[in-house]
Amino acid sequence: MSEKTVVVALGHRALGTTLPQQKEASKAAAKVIADLVEEGAHVVISHSNGPQVGMIHTAMNEFGKAHPDYTFAPMSVCSAMSQGYIGYDLQNAIRSELLSRGIYKPVSTVLTQVVIDPYDDAFAEPEKIIGRILNEEEAEAEEEKGNFVTPVPGGYRRILAAPKPQRIVELETIRTLADAGQIVIAAGGGGIPVLEQGIELHGASAIIEKDLAAGCLAEELNADTLMILTSVEKVSLNLGKDNEEFLDTISVEQAQEYMDADQFAPGSMLPKFQAGISFLKKGQNRRTIITDIAHGKDGYLEKTGTIIK
């Protein structure tokens, strides 16, 4: 039995899209978490929130349109809401799975804020599409408010910056709970992006890449393993081509070479490698594991998956 700290990043495939899908998907995720606990790991969980925060953002803004007396919900508030309700389903699913195995371990969700740099280059090149389709008039109104929009089939949609995470505000709370033996769900959706202004924190209209936030969390907790659960059992080179090659165990140097050769798609596999490499470079005896949820336990035991050491 090991006594290792593992930060698990759950991708959107591990959470579903609709409320019923999320509830069922959480049960599958809970089995992997329980497997890791049975292996003796201290587990901290981060997760995607793409479909969920988009749904909340759309719902809150449609409500604001229908009820002028209410204000529209900023992205930071929508992010906080998504952390709460995803954490709710994950907490209950993990608790039930642990109890079914005779394991008595508390599970908690920490609403997590992540500090970003107001001068991050990402604000000049927003890339995260969110919300419902807008008509031309609505798109112009968004631009007048200082927001960015991008053309899509059928109209326009808002597009947000994806700045890099700088610091996790609630780190000591997360650390204290993890050290006390709890399973902690934190930095969901990349965390609530905030800007520091003196002693105050102000929500930013942005979305932090959740894999980079998970890597930041793993670094600051001095974890032993960063496990990124995505849609593939193993990462491949030359994806979809005749010479496609699956990656098993590779070095940091090899991972960097593949990344520099543009083998990985931005906004998809690339941030996973960026997070994994950064995590490994800032500590000793660490590893990054990339696999899918069906092979989570085997990936942890290094029987499958792409493992960077």
Side-chain angles (χ1 to χ4, degrees), residues 63-81:
F63 182 83
K65 285 173 60 180
H67 300 275
D69 291 342
Y70 289 84
T71 57
F72 289 82
M75 276 306 304
S76 55
V77 172
C78 295
S79 178
M81 290 180 177

Side-chain angles (χ1 to χ4, degrees), residues 13 32 39 58 64 82 99 128 208 221 240 254 259 277 288 309:
R13 296 285 181 91
V32 175
E39 291 298 322
T58 298
S82 73
L99 288 174
K128 294 289 186 179
I208 300 171
L221 289 175
Q254 288 173 305
M259 196 167 68
I277 290 173
T288 295
K309 289 184 171 181

Side-chain angles (χ1 to χ4, degrees), residues 132-213:
R132 66 174 179 84
I133 293 177
L134 309 170
N135 59 36
E136 186 172 356
E137 182 181 350
E138 291 171 324
E140 289 177 354
E142 288 294 336
E143 290 182 324
E144 287 176 1
K145 291 189 289 186
N147 297 324
F148 291 89
V149 297
T150 187
V152 297
Y156 303 84
R157 292 179 70 186
R158 274 197 66 188
I159 186 168
L160 301 177
K164 293 180 175 61
Q166 301 295 316
R167 182 173 60 82
I168 295 169
V169 177
E170 287 78 16
L171 178 67
E172 290 309 315
T173 301
I174 298 165
R175 192 197 311 278
T176 299
L177 292 170
D179 287 348
Q182 294 201 31
I183 295 170
V184 187
I185 302 163
I192 304 163
V194 294
L195 301 169
E196 289 184 302
Q197 296 181 3
I199 62 172
E200 295 185 353
L201 299 172
H202 294 272
S205 185
I207 295 178
I208 300 171
E209 173 58 58
K210 59 94 179 169
D211 292 316
L212 297 182

